[in-house]
Amino acid sequence: MKFFEPEIQEYIASDSPPEVLIVDDSSVIRRAIANRLQIGGLRVKQAADGKQALSQIYAAPPDLVLLDIVMPGMDGMEVLKIVRQSLSKLQLPVILVTSRTSTRELVRGLDEGANDYITKPVDFDLLWARLSNQIMQKKAAEYMNAVKNKLETEVRQRTRELHENNKILQQEIHEKRLIEKKLQRQANYDVLTGLPNRNLATDRLEQTLIKAKREKLKPSVVFVDLDNFKYVNDTLGHAAGDDLLKEAAIRLIDCVRESDTVARLGGDEFLLILDDINNQSGNPRELDLKIIGERIIRRFSRSFLLEGQEVNISPSIGFAVYPKDGKDEVALMRHADAAMYRAKNNGKNTFCFYSPEMTAQAKLRMDVETQLHHALERNEFSLVYQPIVEAASGEIVKAEVLLRWNNEMLGMITPDVFIPVAEETGQIVEIGAWVIKTACHQVKHWRNGGWDEMCITVNVSARQFHQDSNLVEAVTTALKTNVLTADALQLELTEGILMRENQYNVAIMQALETLGIKLLVDDFGTGYASLSYLQKYNFDTLKIDYGYIKNILINQQDARLVKAIIAMANSLGLDVVSEGVETREQLDFLIKAHCKYIQGYYFSPPVPAKAFEVLFQKLNSTRATPGSQLLLISSSSHS
Ligand code: C2E
Ligand code: CA
Ligand code: CA
């Protein structure tokens, strides 16, 4: 049997040979046909009438039925009709065998569902061709069906697997989402405080501004920077610093409404985004912000408990209001930052509103910070010396060393501008060491030249009193390399250093005392140092702040205070220097009040070493060693 498609042929070959049911009432015909089909390799069954045919078909359907139309009893047409009720043309092909040639009969047969027909007497070649064709179609359909079923099973199986995989996948997706969420938190939130970070804060500000533009609102941006945070980190350690930041975050959140944003920008810098509260309170914006500024300062006035110590940390706050102080987030943030710096310059623990002139100031500060990095290596620093004169004799006994910075880009920058920056960046440590070294070198020259008792006082910042600032080492090295005794150098400390008393600065003060270095309290009266502090740390001298001296002839209260300070200091055995003395009248007042030492423009402003030598000769002429010697050393002096 020839079929066309090789796959189908293969399919048939794998099966038993097709079976044909021959239905005919004539046994002669049945046998004749059966013979020929068996020779062709087919299996054959026979039925003598319609009933038999049906029972055989229902017992085990053959692959094809050759059905005689004319039979006694149930004729072929009837059989076909019944068969077709349950089996389609493809399920069971039926070829009608008829001696009638009436086309009407054949058409009816085909209508009833016969697949084909053949006329008697049977032309076996034709029968074979028609039969092959039908069986092939049936087998092809079977094959397709089998393939389809197999495919369907496979698909079902695959679907089940997919379903399983999908479940696993869903789980994985869920886990991935959790990780993503965590990563996103890390990308958007500050790990230490849990506050939004700069990323998210900028985003929120952007959103706030979009809304503000639409609804004509006036949100504001607030910069909060903790004063002297570095000090906590340096002296109490990073764990204490972290605790402080966490607590600061809580206090800040406490100061604003829930809808406002409190973010940490990094370090000790916080950003607040305040929605417009104008509409609710009916206050002008500035008044509302003033209330918030005061509230923050009040919250921070309670001391922080860090590592078992009570520490006072104040905030400096800057406000910028949309749209007056900036139309986009960049401008608003920059301007709030500038306002915050102004608050710092105004003495910290306060708040400021942005005003346009601050931008220039902020730019200068930035420039100062950048330029300061190269100042030492570019040799841009120099020292000037201001005489400290003994009131009674009018002779110079000491000189205060003051730092000068001449930058190639910015020109002369005063210490009031660059020292705070250097303190903040920590560069003051290195610069301070340079000042001590250079000043010691200078005083050595002066001593070599014959001013045996010449002594210099050097200013030191709070920052230099930190555990890892190596102040003691800087002093020791400077004295040693210049072969100087400790009485050649005094250090001027501000009250701030005393106020922030802790194990480190106490240890440093004791180490300096052991070296024999005398300590002087600078700007006395501006802070809160009491005279008892001065005794506790063996201070030698106190310097009354310029702010009091300025007013002694104008303000009765200042005059009384200065007199009292001098009297008390004298009774405690402390030397007193009055600084900023500019007039003869001030000098006379101070002499009358028994102030022992005077410093100020009245005698001289701070001057370079050479000019100082000239001055020294003039004032100390009665006591000084020969001037020729002084001129000799001046050529090698440093200024
Ligand atoms: P300070 O220690 O209080 O220094 C005294 C300041 O008053 C100096 O300003 C001095 O030039 C000025 N002065 C002196 N006599 C008079 C006077 O009669 N009238 C007026 N109006 N002013 C007078 P300067 O040199 O600008 O220094 C400013 C501040 O910078 C210093 O204040 C000190 O705190 C800091 N500073 C200067 N050099 C150094 C340094 O080497 N290290 C540290 N840490 N700080 C320094
Ligand atoms: Ca000073
Ligand atoms: Ca001073």
Side-chain angles (χ1 to χ4, degrees):
M1 191 175 283
K2 272 263 156 67
F3 298 115
F4 303 120
E5 286 83 355
E7 305 98 311
I8 299 171
Q9 222 158 351
E10 205 175 284
Y11 167 74
I12 294 166
S14 72
D15 212 11
S16 38
E19 189 179 51
V20 178
L21 173 66
I22 305 164
V23 187
D24 203 307
D25 54 331
S26 152
S27 61
V28 179
I29 293 180
R30 282 201 313 266
R31 229 169 299 137
I33 296 176
N35 270 339
R36 296 301 287 256
L37 296 188
Q38 275 163 339
I39 290 165
L42 300 180
R43 290 179 294 139
V44 173
K45 284 198 287 190
Q46 299 180 27
D49 56 39
K51 260 171 119 179
Q52 260 182 42
L54 284 177
S55 70
Q56 287 204 43
I57 285 168
Y58 288 122
D63 291 302
L64 185 135
V65 180
L66 281 178
L67 182 61
D68 187 19
I69 293 179
V70 186
M71 289 185 290
M74 190 187 287
D75 76 353
M77 282 303 179
E78 230 171 308
V79 175
L80 179 61
K81 218 169 161 179
I82 296 169
V83 165
R84 282 290 171 260
Q85 281 170 7
S86 55
L87 293 164
S88 70
K89 277 163 99 171
L90 271 180
Q91 283 169 329
L92 181 62
V94 175
I95 296 179
L96 297 175
V97 184
T98 175
S99 46
R100 289 186 205 164
T101 44
S102 136
T103 22
R104 254 189 70 209
E105 186 73 7
L106 284 172
V107 168
R108 206 190 117 216
L110 293 172
D111 273 352
E112 291 295 354
N115 294 55
D116 210 343
Y117 70 92
I118 188 134
T119 48
K120 286 180 186 172
V122 174
D123 172 339
F124 284 104
D125 285 337
L126 189 64
L127 170 66
W128 189 252
R130 293 206 171 152
L131 186 138
S132 299
N133 184 33
Q134 287 307 323
I135 292 181
M136 185 193 78
Q137 279 189 30
K138 180 194 182 241
K139 290 288 177 183
E142 257 174 32
Y143 172 76
M144 294 310 284
N145 215 27
V147 170
K148 190 180 123 224
N149 284 345
K150 195 167 155 240
L151 263 173
E152 269 174 3
T153 333
E154 269 173 22
V155 166
R156 262 197 303 277
Q157 171 70 14
R158 191 79 198 105
T159 311
R160 243 197 321 276
E161 275 172 28
L162 278 176
H163 192 70
E164 283 299 309
N165 285 347
N166 199 32
K167 245 163 85 187
I168 296 170
L169 208 71
Q170 286 299 331
Q171 180 63 22
E172 278 171 6
I173 288 171
H174 179 69
E175 276 162 21
K176 217 169 123 199
R177 285 230 179 91
L178 289 182
I179 293 169
E180 264 167 17
K181 234 179 178 168
K182 201 171 143 196
L183 284 177
Q184 196 202 8
R185 263 200 89 75
Q186 278 167 3
N188 282 327
Y189 290 86
D190 169 44
V191 182
L192 180 68
T193 59
L195 293 179
N197 62 14
R198 185 183 288 271
N199 254 348
L200 184 56
T202 316
D203 233 50
R204 288 212 185 149
L205 182 53
E206 239 172 81
Q207 297 306 317
T208 306
L209 294 185
I210 289 170
K211 188 172 156 217
K213 252 170 227 154
R214 201 173 48 221
E215 296 174 24
K216 301 232 176 322
L217 301 174
K218 289 178 181 171
S220 20
V221 173
V222 191
F223 255 62
V224 180
D225 189 282
L226 306 185
D227 302 327
N228 309 316
F229 172 73
K230 281 207 175 72
Y231 169 82
V232 171
N233 246 351
D234 290 351
T235 55
L236 298 179
H238 285 276
D242 285 354
D243 286 349
L244 171 59
L245 290 172
K246 280 191 251 179
E247 172 71 23
I250 293 168
R251 291 192 191 184
L252 284 174
I253 290 169
D254 248 21
C255 292
V256 296
R257 292 166 315 156
E258 219 165 304
S259 55
D260 298 331
T261 292
V262 177
R264 181 176 169 222
L265 296 182
D268 58 346
E269 255 184 10
F270 295 88
L271 176 89
L272 279 52
I273 303 168
L274 308 181
D275 283 350
D276 191 1
I277 41 177
N278 207 5
N279 302 338
Q280 289 162 29
S281 63
N283 287 333
R285 194 72 180 120
E286 307 262 299
L287 187 61
D288 279 327
L289 294 179
K290 192 166 168 272
I291 292 167
I292 288 176
E294 280 162 356
R295 190 184 300 152
I296 295 173
I297 284 169
R298 211 166 41 241
R299 290 284 149 85
F300 276 77
S301 65
R302 220 176 55 231
S303 50
F304 292 81
L305 194 66
L306 304 171
E307 306 277 297
Q309 285 196 46
E310 279 193 11
V311 181
N312 288 308
I313 290 288
S314 57
S316 288
I317 305 159
F319 291 108
V321 183
Y322 173 87
K324 173 172 77 73
D325 300 333
K327 293 199 172 29
D328 57 47
E329 62 275 7
V330 178
L332 282 169
M333 281 171 82
R334 201 174 50 223
H335 292 164
D337 192 27
M340 185 274 291
Y341 266 109
R342 173 59 60 89
K344 273 214 191 294
N345 282 343
N346 286 359
K348 305 177 175 170
N349 196 26
T350 184
F351 55 86
C352 267
F353 293 96
Y354 172 75
S355 67
E357 107 275 355
M358 287 177 194
T359 301
Q361 200 204 10
K363 185 177 177 312
L364 174 66
R365 212 211 89 96
M366 286 267 292
D367 289 344
V368 164
E369 192 173 327
T370 339
Q371 290 299 315
L372 209 51
H373 278 292
H374 312 289
L376 267 180
E377 74 197 40
R378 288 184 189 151
N379 223 358
E380 291 180 341
F381 289 121
S382 62
L383 297 180
V384 287
Y385 301 85
Q386 187 176 32
I388 296 172
V389 175
E390 188 179 34
S393 64
E395 289 189 350
I396 297 173
V397 288
K398 294 196 247 189
E400 177 175 4
V401 178
L402 293 154
L403 184 57
R404 292 292 175 264
W405 181 30
N406 192 359
N407 177 256
E408 57 170 6
M409 181 181 130
L410 303 169
M412 269 313 258
I413 305 290
T414 66
D416 293 326
V417 173
F418 74 82
I419 294 282
V421 178
E423 282 174 346
E424 214 163 292
T425 60
Q427 280 166 290
I428 192 66
V429 171
E430 211 187 327
I431 296 169
W434 180 88
V435 171
I436 292 169
K437 185 181 87 181
T438 312
C440 281
H441 199 54
Q442 181 62 64
V443 80
K444 179 63 181 178
H445 273 282
W446 285 335
R447 283 194 165 193
N448 280 348
W451 306 347
D452 306 335
E453 287 161 37
M454 187 54 191
C455 163
I456 44 162
T457 70
V458 170
N459 294 285
V460 284
S461 302
R463 191 70 202 267
Q464 291 171 269
F465 261 78
H466 294 164
Q467 67 193 107
D468 44 8
S469 298
N470 302 327
L471 177 64
V472 179
E473 198 187 306
V475 168
T476 316
T477 316
L479 293 180
K480 219 177 188 170
T481 47
N482 292 297
V483 201
L484 276 174
T485 45
D487 63 327
L489 175 67
Q490 293 185 8
L491 298 181
E492 299 200 3
L493 280 55
T494 55
E495 290 168 294
I497 299 172
L498 304 175
M499 289 312 296
R500 286 190 242 106
E501 180 185 345
N502 64 56
Q503 48 175 327
Y504 299 115
N505 59 30
V506 169
I508 292 169
M509 279 193 251
Q510 278 161 355
L512 290 170
E513 206 191 317
T514 314
L515 278 177
I517 300 289
K518 285 182 180 161
L519 302 181
L520 178 154
V521 180
D522 203 359
D523 304 340
F524 188 82
T526 53
Y528 309 90
S530 66
L531 289 167
S532 65
Y533 264 114
L534 307 186
Q535 278 205 305
K536 188 168 161 192
Y537 293 116
N538 278 316
F539 277 93
D540 181 77
T541 306
L542 67 82
K543 201 182 252 193
I544 302 175
D545 188 62
Y546 169 65
Y548 292 100
I549 305 299
K550 195 170 60 183
N551 294 330
I552 42 177
L553 300 173
I554 311 159
N555 185 322
Q556 279 292 312
Q557 206 184 339
D558 281 3
R560 269 200 302 276
L561 204 79
V562 168
K563 270 195 219 164
I565 291 171
I566 295 168
M568 272 201 283
N570 284 342
S571 73
L572 289 168
L574 292 168
D575 281 345
V576 178
V577 179
S578 293
E579 74 176 345
V581 178
E582 293 179 353
T583 64
R584 177 78 225 184
E585 290 73 26
Q586 287 171 331
L587 177 66
D588 288 341
F589 175 96
L590 291 164
I591 289 175
K592 246 169 81 189
H594 304 290
C595 177
K596 208 164 158 194
Y597 300 105
I598 308 292
Q599 179 183 355
Y601 291 172
Y602 177 72
F603 289 111
S604 169
V607 291
K610 269 185 200 170
F612 186 85
E613 285 161 15
V614 174
L615 198 71
F616 190 95
Q617 282 178 46
K618 203 173 98 192
L619 293 177
N620 294 36
S621 53
T622 49
R623 219 180 77 181
T625 35
S628 54
Q629 218 173 338
L630 283 172
L631 288 175
L632 252 178
I633 55 164
S634 66
S635 56
S636 65
S637 65
H638 300 252
S639 60

